[in-house]
Amino acid sequence: SGGGNLTGNLISPVVSTVSPGAGETIGTLTVSGDATLEGATTMKLDAGNATNDVLSAGGVLTYGGVLILTNISATPLAASSYKLFNAGGYSGSFSAIEPTTPGADLAWDTSELNEGILKVVSTVVPAPRIGGIAVNGGALVISGSGGSAGGTYEVLMSTNVTLPLDLWTAIATNTYDGNGNFTNSLPYDPASPQAFYLISQ
């Protein structure tokens, strides 16, 4: 426990704990050789000050055991990332991360742990939004954003906005582009007094 420099290799067996910071203090533990983590690795996140504990290894850092994360200030935000580990190379994987989530509607993203980075992502399904409606010739062009990239959606229409959604009419089916954007060119009746549209996915 605690920051500083360790000359040689670090081997943390199943019954041990490695914690680069001591108490509530953020710390960095630097190992000159390889680091093998088989026990508990405890790291503090200070989301409010955008910093965290760091374990550095001059050689290969092998993940294993359980990664235990403690927030000492604010809850991490979606799209935030933490450079927890620095090493000449990375291998292995943690058997578990505790807590299992950073907070409500959030998840840990371990896709960049091969670079020592742990990220936080949102688990909320994006909601598409109509951003523009225009008349182009004889067509009504509806465009927007916020969908699931590459996902399928329907354009629903009703002349009565108070109708239950299952009574709206599906007038088009399409897919979002790679950024979750959409554009539809739809027929319309200019004699109709009103029409309402929404995107359903």
Side-chain angles (χ1 to χ4, degrees), residues 79-105:
S80 58
S81 63
Y82 299 91
K83 178 69 169 168
L84 299 175
F85 306 100
N86 288 311
Y90 302 88
S91 68
S93 62
F94 290 109
S95 61
I97 297 179
E98 297 177 1
T100 54
T101 67
D105 299 324

Side-chain angles (χ1 to χ4, degrees), residues 28-188:
T28 298
L29 176 62
T30 302
V31 179
S32 66
D34 298 332
T36 301
L37 306 175
E38 297 175 351
T41 303
T42 301
M43 308 289 276
K44 292 183 298 300
L45 308 179
D46 187 354
N49 294 299
T51 187
N52 52 263
D53 286 343
V54 177
L55 175 60
S56 292
V60 175
L61 193 153
T62 302
Y63 299 128
V66 179
L67 176 61
I68 301 172
L69 301 165
T70 303
N71 298 323
I72 62 172
S73 58
T75 299
L77 300 176
S80 58
S81 63
Y82 299 91
K83 178 69 169 168
L84 299 175
F85 306 100
N86 288 311
Y90 302 88
S91 68
S93 62
F94 290 109
S95 61
I97 297 179
E98 297 177 1
T100 54
T101 67
D105 299 324
L106 299 173
W108 302 115
D109 177 358
T110 60
S111 62
E112 294 185 25
L113 271 180
N114 60 347
E115 298 176 13
I117 299 170
L118 182 68
K119 299 169 72 176
V120 177
V121 295
S122 172
T123 58
V124 176
V125 176
R129 297 176 185 84
I130 294 175
I133 297 179
V135 175
N136 185 3
L140 183 69
V141 179
I142 297 178
S143 60
S145 61
S148 301
T152 302
Y153 67 92
E154 289 184 320
V155 180
L156 306 181
M157 187 274 289
S158 174
T159 56
N160 181 357
V161 74
T162 64
L163 280 180
L165 287 182
D166 59 351
L167 298 179
W168 287 48
T169 303
I171 58 173
T173 300
N174 213 331
T175 57
Y176 301 108
D177 68 16
N179 295 313
N181 301 320
F182 61 91
T183 300
N184 288 274
S185 184
L186 308 167
Y188 80 104

